Amino acid sequence: KAGVTQTPRYLIKTRGQQVTLSCSPISGHRSVSWYQQTPGQGLQFLFEYFSETQRNKGNFPGRFSGRQFSNSRSEMNVSTLELGDSALYLCASSPLVSSGGANTGELFFGEGSRLTVL
Amino acid sequence: AQSVTQLDSHVSVSEGTPVLLRCNYSSSYSPSLFWYVQHPNKGLQLLLKYTSAATLVKGINGFEAEFKKSETSFHLTKPSAHMSDAAEYFCVVIMKDDKIIFGKGTRLHILP
């Protein structure tokens, strides 16, 4: 079974630009969550999607958005990039069976997309 | 509010000696707790999880953790460190609103 795939792995942008990151979950997983990892703040939860609906959201500004498609693939977008957005963005999928179900905490992570903003 | 605190940002041990990575949580009810490991330039991998069954939880690669309610702790241990254990370790809690919260991480260094 293929793991979680994130693209691109590395990218460089300049301030003010926007970026779109993609995540393909493990086959059969309908829940996808996104995290931002930085040396200063650690791992911070961005948002979680289940069956194309946002299920949960962290405390990030509206410049950070996401969506999920019918095949469970997910994208996140960051607009008007700032230097502080430089980070490793991690995607995780989980075998959550229903939107109302409880998180099992069993997350399967991709290797991340490393974004550098100049 | 529910949270998780990893008490050490860096831990160094010699190869073959025991490993102890500390994690304390705060919660108004019995939480679900996890440890994840992240090797350099890789995503995170689940090591083990506690979900109110046995208090001593065994994970992969010889790691285990003990849930101690009286101490609100969930420390990760391994009897004998191996060079391949060098990585960053995250203690994780599921909050009441079902959000998954990661601790700040502990970087484990293994000395030859």
Side-chain angles (χ1 to χ4, degrees), chain A residues 9 35 37 40-41 43 45 55-57 88 90 101-107 109-111, chain B residues 34 36 38 41-46 49 51 88 90 94 97-104:
Chain A
R9 290 291 315 279
Y35 293 82
Q37 185 177 27
Q41 298 298 318
L43 268 159
F45 170 71
R55 184 172 178 268
N56 239 324
K57 185 176 184 305
L88 180 67
L90 290 163
N103 253 318
T104 65
E106 293 186 54
L107 301 172
F109 282 85
E111 295 193 333
Chain B
F34 309 78
Y36 277 80
Q38 185 180 29
N41 299 314
K42 296 289 184 184
L44 282 78
Q45 180 185 18
L46 179 64
K49 64 177 180 177
T51 53
E88 190 154 21
F90 295 89
I94 300 181
D97 60 1
D98 218 38
K99 287 181 185 173
I100 297 175
I101 304 300
F102 285 75
K104 292 284 190 186

Side-chain angles (χ1 to χ4, degrees), chain A residues 2-3 5 18 26-27 31 42 47 54 68-69 80 86 90 97 102 107:
Chain A
T5 305
Q18 73 159 12
I26 289 173
S27 177
S31 168
F47 26 66
Q54 189 176 83
Q68 187 180 31
F69 302 96
T80 321
S86 294
L90 290 163
V97 296
L107 301 172

Side-chain angles (χ1 to χ4, degrees), chain A residues 46-93:
Chain A
L46 279 155
F47 26 66
E48 179 191 2
Y49 287 87
F50 181 87
S51 289
E52 303 178 67
T53 301
Q54 189 176 83
R55 184 172 178 268
N56 239 324
K57 185 176 184 305
N59 297 322
F60 277 80
R63 300 186 297 108
F64 292 80
S65 63
R67 59 178 175 167
Q68 187 180 31
F69 302 96
S70 58
N71 62 357
S72 294
R73 190 177 72 84
S74 177
E75 288 181 349
M76 67 162 282
N77 184 278
V78 188
S79 62
T80 321
L81 283 167
E82 301 176 0
L83 294 178
D85 297 332
S86 294
L88 180 67
Y89 290 88
L90 290 163
C91 164
S93 73

Side-chain angles (χ1 to χ4, degrees), chain B:
Chain B
Q2 198 168 355
S3 67
V4 61
T5 303
Q6 292 183 245
L7 298 158
D8 307 295
S9 57
H10 292 265
V11 168
S12 294
V13 302
S14 297
E15 192 174 19
T17 64
V19 174
L20 170 64
L21 304 183
R22 298 183 294 167
C23 173
N24 283 93
Y25 68 92
S26 67
S27 175
S28 57
Y29 64 101
S30 194
S32 293
L33 293 159
F34 309 78
W35 278 97
Y36 277 80
V37 60
Q38 185 180 29
H39 287 92
N41 299 314
K42 296 289 184 184
L44 282 78
Q45 180 185 18
L46 179 64
L47 265 183
L48 50 81
K49 64 177 180 177
Y50 166 76
T51 53
S52 78
T55 56
L56 182 62
V57 183
K58 293 190 184 300
I60 62 171
N61 301 334
F63 283 94
E64 59 183 40
E66 187 171 6
F67 174 73
K68 290 188 177 179
K69 188 173 181 179
S70 59
E71 299 176 11
T72 61
S73 69
F74 190 57
H75 300 336
L76 182 69
T77 61
K78 182 172 180 177
S80 176
H82 191 272
M83 294 300 288
S84 61
D85 295 328
E88 190 154 21
Y89 292 80
F90 295 89
C91 185
V92 178
V93 65
I94 300 181
M95 294 182 69
K96 204 170 184 179
D97 60 1
D98 218 38
K99 287 181 185 173
I100 297 175
I101 304 300
F102 285 75
K104 292 284 190 186
T106 298
R107 190 167 292 280
L108 177 62
H109 305 271
I110 310 296
L111 308 172

